[in-house]
Amino acid sequence: MAGAVVALADVPDPVFASGAVGEGFAIDPTEGSFRSPVDGQLILVAKTLHAFAVRTDAGAEILVHIGVDTVKLKGAGFTAHCAKGQRVQQGDVIISCDLEQMADLVPSMITPVLVTNGADFAISTPEAGAPEGSAIITVRKK
């Protein structure tokens, strides 16, 4: 997604900032198209459309959690473009929203991108300031 890379520790939610959900990074989005960060199968599209997860062919499970406290919106303002079980490619739009409208309704639109089964994988340190479209972390099976 378009936006600035943010360290996980700087996410304004203690559960994500602590790494309790998984290792990764976050994006402070500049537009409202939330895209698959990897090729794989869509294993979760939350009923409230605030999050989705993709499992890569190597088995890494990548969770994209759109904003902070967005679950409380119960799906209002979000549009799903793909369904659970669908095969997706890196860059496919999974969920979209009007970013400006959402920003007024929640504490933050900073979006954690996490490897939720990281114990099985070696994960590189996030690279702040990576050019748009480039890899921010690398995930390899141990």
Side-chain angles (χ1 to χ4, degrees):
M1 69 196 82
V5 177
V6 175
L8 204 54
D10 295 332
V11 172
D13 180 298
V15 174
F16 291 115
S18 71
V21 180
E23 293 181 64
F25 59 94
I27 300 287
D28 190 359
T30 55
E31 59 101 25
S33 292
F34 297 89
R35 301 171 184 275
S36 179
V38 294
D39 296 345
Q41 182 178 17
L42 199 54
I43 58 171
L44 168 74
V45 175
K47 289 182 183 181
T48 53
L49 304 180
H50 74 288
F52 64 90
V54 180
R55 182 182 301 124
T56 69
D57 292 340
E61 295 179 358
I62 313 299
L63 173 69
V64 177
H65 190 283
I66 303 166
V68 174
D69 293 343
T70 47
V71 67
K72 295 177 181 177
L73 300 176
K74 300 180 181 173
F78 290 108
T79 301
H81 299 276
C82 298
K84 179 181 175 182
Q86 189 173 337
R87 179 113 183 127
V88 296
Q89 300 298 308
Q90 180 181 14
D92 288 352
V93 176
I94 310 299
I95 295 173
S96 63
C97 68
D98 180 325
L99 197 59
E100 288 184 28
Q101 175 189 15
M102 291 298 196
D104 292 337
L105 302 175
V106 295
S108 174
M109 286 303 292
I110 290 178
T111 298
V113 180
L114 309 166
V115 182
T116 58
N117 61 343
D120 297 333
F121 296 88
I123 303 168
S124 67
T125 303
E127 295 183 33
E132 189 171 323
S134 66
I136 297 170
I137 61 171
T138 303
V139 179
R140 290 196 169 82
K141 192 120 175 125
K142 287 184 179 177

